[in-house]
Amino acid sequence: MSDTSQRDLGDSDSPIEDALEEAFRRMVDEGTQRLHRRWREVLVTGFFGGTEIAVGVLAYLAVLHVTHNHLLAGLAFSIGFLALLLGRSELFTEGFLIPVTTVAAKRASVAQLMKLWGGTLAANLVGGWVLMWLIMTAFPRLHAQTTESAAHYATAPLSAETMCLALLGGMVITLMTRMQHGTDAMIGKIAAAVAGGFLLAGLQMFHSILDSLLIFGALIAGDAPFGYLDWLRWFGYTVVGNVAGGLGLVTMLRLLRSKERLQEERRDAEAE
């Protein structure tokens, strides 16, 4: 079907379907605001993102400690994603679809994208470490479970299996973001958050922030058979896999799907 007939059939004059146009507009508008934040706002929002994910980790550990069922614990972990959604904080791995689309639309610069990624990543880790210290101090009965769960990640060697787990982790959380921006209904956004938590934590995919907090908790507890260097080795390939999965398996395909609309937005940005 030609662009002209698509424009004629839809309610808008966009070259893409009306539903995709609405989602595209939401992403660019939100991304423009996020990417034009000052350093203080980036760091504070990222710090809150780390603490809120740590609350999800607490729920995950508590349920796993009692049930020894990863799928049920994954559902409990979705509390962390719900906190991110309703509290409007920022997680590093949520910064693939929306910010990259905004930069591709020329509504922000690559330097602003690097500021968002770098500041959010660092603040997530710091905020998460602080809350994990509080959790490990408040709940010593969770120490053994935390160490057992963390060892699954911190001691995992780089292999085809672990890299695929990291790729899938990046894809799933970016897909969660895509689903949340595909609807105005809060119930739909909540369902996407629960689904994302279930898949990521319940299936023990590799996620650079979530699993780092588990590892931090084990290190803080003091009984871990690994150290911060082991975490750094694991974190290095996991964050690369998350970025590759989020960008390559979701974001780039979405940009390709909206290519004509993206070109229009770029021309509008250049004309302003």
Side-chain angles (χ1 to χ4, degrees), residues 133-146:
W133 181 87
L134 290 173
I135 290 169
M136 290 298 100
T137 303
F139 297 97
R141 66 180 180 274
L142 294 178
H143 285 189
Q145 184 62 69
T146 304

Side-chain angles (χ1 to χ4, degrees), residues 46-61 77 80-81 84 90-93 120-136 142-143 145-151 153-154 205-221 224 226 228 231-232 234-235 238 242:
F47 185 90
F48 278 128
T51 60
E52 289 164 1
I53 283 297
V55 171
V57 171
L58 171 60
Y60 173 85
L61 290 170
F77 169 74
F81 283 161
L84 285 174
E90 188 94 45
L91 195 64
F92 164 68
T93 47
T120 301
L121 177 60
N124 283 167
L125 294 174
V126 172
W129 191 99
V130 169
L131 209 69
M132 289 307 297
W133 181 87
L134 290 173
I135 290 169
M136 290 298 100
L142 294 178
H143 285 189
Q145 184 62 69
T146 304
T147 300
E148 178 186 338
S149 298
Y153 305 101
M205 295 180 185
F206 280 23
H207 185 272
S208 52
I209 304 300
L210 160 61
D211 304 330
S212 287
L213 302 197
L214 282 171
I215 295 170
F216 291 164
L219 291 169
I220 292 165
F226 47 80
Y228 281 99
W231 162 73
L232 191 60
W234 171 87
F235 181 80
T238 299
N242 286 169

